[in-house]
């Protein structure tokens, strides 16, 4: 809990992202996008505009591969970008070769007119092909994602929920070149520091820099993408908490609900809650609360008030 700043010691958006290593992004926002909800779990009702400023104005954070990273980690991430270029799988290689004309067009358009939205790029230059397993027929977006992963282009901003693309050199600063093996070693060091406890060769290890003092009895809700529960097997082994996200499970087969958040009290995962924010009515609704076997229920009034304030909800319905 202390390694993950879930002990109430988080002080700012920037320091929290630096400590955690990154924020995972996802468009699902039944409550709030996960990158915001992870910060809320640690900071309480923070100013979302601060996160946007840090990414798009101050450039102290940057977006890559559906994650938000501290800018000081850019040399390490760039090593992963180079690996994408050097170790492409056969499908990616064939796709880029078949659409080489469109790739050149994208880079030229961004160079001359960027930043641009994906819809501002012509689609008829793409070679016809079969639907992709994940992307379907949205091959323009697939091309942009591949170029982004390779470090040729970067996300320069947002227009609502849509990404603005530009040439990477105009978005990201120059950095030193770190060899891939060294970059991975440093990323793993940061990961272990942020987790506080990890398993190596079947044995649990704890990080020596993280305090093991008792954790305050603080109650909050966790994003399904929170690193404390992201590894479901780890969460179950450490906390005895069996957690699965059921939004892709047919409603009749769900054990709990569509988008259920773990309830953290102190250093225990004591239950789960299904909140839903009605943005039109400005109402935070609680569709259900489930307590773990043997766990003592805790008051949810204060964390729900904090969540409502963070979301801008005018009322809470339970």
């Amino acid at each position: 809990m202390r390694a993950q700043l879930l002990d109430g010691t988080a002080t700012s958006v920037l320091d929290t992202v630096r400590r955690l290593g990154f924020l995972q992004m996802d468009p699902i926002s039944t409550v709030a996008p996960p990158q915001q909800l992870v910060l809320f779990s640690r900071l309480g009702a923070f100013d979302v505009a601060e996160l946007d400023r840090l990414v798009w104005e101050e450039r102290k954070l940057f977006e890559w591969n559906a994650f938000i990273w501290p800018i000081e980690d850019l040399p390490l991430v760039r090593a992963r970008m180079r690996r994408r270029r050097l170790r492409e799988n056969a499908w990616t290689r064939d796709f880029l070769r078949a659409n080489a004309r469109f790739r050149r067009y994208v880079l030229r358009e961004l160079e001359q007119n960027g930043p641009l939205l994906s819809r501002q790029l012509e689609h008829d230059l793409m070679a016809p092909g079969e639907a992709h397993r994940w992307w379907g027929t949205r091959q323009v977006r697939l091309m942009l994602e591949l170029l982004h992963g390779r470090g040729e282009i970067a996300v320069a901003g947002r227009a609502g929920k849509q990404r603005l693309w530009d040439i990477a050199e105009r978005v990201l600063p120059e950095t030193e070149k770190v060899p891939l093996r060294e970059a991975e070693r440093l990323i793993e060091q940061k990961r272990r520091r942020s987790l506080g406890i990890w398993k190596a060769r079947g044995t649990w290890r704890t990080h020596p820099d993280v305090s093991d003092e008792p954790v305050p009895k603080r109650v909050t809700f966790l994003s399904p993408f929170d690193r404390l529960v992201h590894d479901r097997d780890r969460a179950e082994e450490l906390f005895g908490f069996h957690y699965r996200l059921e939004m892709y499970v047919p409603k009749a087969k769900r054990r709990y609900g569509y988008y259920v958040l773990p309830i953290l009290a102190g250093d225990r995962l004591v239950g789960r809650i299904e909140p839903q924010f009605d943005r039109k009515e400005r109402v935070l609704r609680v569709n259900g609360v489930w307590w773990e076997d043997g766990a003592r229920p805790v008051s949810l009034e204060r964390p729900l008030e904090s969540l409502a304030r963070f979301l801008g909800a005018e009322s809470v319905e339970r």
Side-chain angles (χ1 to χ4, degrees):
M1 301 303 163
R2 291 194 178 278
Q4 280 281 298
L5 291 178
L6 285 164
D7 58 352
T9 60
T11 57
S12 71
V13 171
L14 183 57
D15 288 343
T16 300
V17 179
R18 284 172 170 166
R19 180 71 168 267
L20 298 181
F22 49 74
L23 297 175
Q24 185 171 350
M25 306 176 71
D26 193 89
I28 298 173
S29 56
T30 304
V31 183
Q35 62 270 24
Q36 297 178 10
L37 197 52
V38 166
L39 291 171
F40 164 79
S41 298
R42 290 149 176 86
L43 295 165
F46 74 98
D47 181 8
V48 173
E50 182 182 356
L51 178 60
D52 292 337
R53 282 195 304 271
L54 289 167
V55 179
W56 308 123
E57 296 177 23
E58 299 180 27
R59 302 290 183 180
K60 293 180 179 178
L61 302 172
F62 71 99
E63 180 181 331
W64 182 73
N65 198 32
F67 290 85
I68 294 173
W69 306 76
I71 196 66
E72 56 265 27
D73 286 350
L74 179 57
L76 312 183
V77 172
R78 276 204 163 117
R80 289 185 168 180
M81 294 176 182
R82 291 195 301 273
R83 178 175 61 188
R84 293 277 185 97
R85 296 194 295 270
L86 296 173
R87 303 180 188 176
E88 289 170 337
N89 59 42
W91 187 93
T92 300
R93 230 174 12 252
D94 291 345
F95 178 86
L96 291 174
R97 187 180 300 118
N99 295 283
R101 181 182 173 213
F102 185 73
R103 174 179 174 273
R104 292 193 298 271
Y105 165 80
V106 167
L107 295 175
R108 184 174 64 250
E109 281 295 297
L110 293 180
E111 177 70 36
Q112 295 175 358
N113 304 308
L116 296 172
L117 298 167
S118 62
R119 66 171 179 263
Q120 294 175 293
L121 297 165
E122 293 181 17
H123 293 204
D124 59 359
L125 291 172
M126 293 287 288
E130 297 180 359
H132 186 266
R133 176 182 174 186
W134 296 321
W135 303 92
T137 58
R138 297 173 296 173
Q139 296 198 60
V140 173
R141 182 181 169 193
L142 177 54
M143 173 63 80
L144 292 169
E145 293 289 350
L146 290 175
L147 295 179
H148 180 46
R150 291 160 56 96
E152 296 183 63
I153 66 175
V155 183
R158 294 265 173 174
K161 294 184 178 181
Q162 301 297 310
R163 287 174 291 184
L164 285 162
W165 298 98
D166 205 347
I167 297 297
E169 287 76 10
R170 286 207 290 254
V171 178
L172 303 173
E174 292 186 9
T175 62
E176 62 177 322
K177 185 175 181 179
V178 179
L180 177 60
R181 182 175 296 180
E182 176 66 6
E184 291 298 335
R185 185 185 69 81
L186 293 172
I187 289 173
E188 178 62 15
Q189 277 187 357
K190 290 172 178 285
R191 186 186 75 88
R192 291 178 176 181
R193 175 62 179 78
S194 70
L195 290 176
I197 180 171
W198 69 95
K199 184 171 281 189
R201 296 183 182 180
T203 302
W204 287 109
R205 306 292 177 87
T206 58
H207 200 284
D209 294 345
V210 180
S211 169
D212 60 355
E213 291 294 315
V215 175
K217 297 295 184 181
R218 177 176 176 269
V219 179
T220 191
F221 310 127
L222 302 181
S223 163
F225 297 87
D226 198 290
R227 291 295 120 175
L228 193 71
V229 295
H230 182 266
D231 184 331
R232 310 306 192 205
D233 293 336
R234 177 180 183 268
E236 188 164 2
E237 190 168 353
L238 282 177
F239 303 104
F241 188 76
H242 181 81
Y243 178 63
R244 299 293 184 272
L245 193 56
E246 297 182 297
M247 61 185 180
Y248 299 120
V249 176
K251 186 175 182 179
K253 295 185 177 181
R254 290 175 192 151
R255 184 177 178 185
Y256 300 106
Y258 176 81
Y259 200 75
V260 173
L261 311 182
I263 301 172
L264 178 68
D267 60 358
R268 304 288 180 181
L269 292 167
V270 297
R272 54 200 86 199
I273 184 171
E274 186 187 11
Q276 183 177 0
F277 181 39
D278 186 327
R279 289 168 174 80
K280 183 178 180 180
E281 301 292 332
R282 312 305 296 176
V283 174
L284 176 61
R285 295 189 174 91
V286 178
N287 296 328
V289 176
W290 301 266
W291 301 105
E292 290 294 282
D293 292 341
R296 179 180 299 177
V298 297
S299 173
L300 300 180
E301 183 176 355
R302 184 172 295 179
L304 281 172
E305 287 177 354
S306 179
L307 181 60
R309 186 167 63 255
F310 168 61
L311 296 172
E314 296 175 355
S315 62
V316 178
E317 291 183 0
R318 298 185 62 179

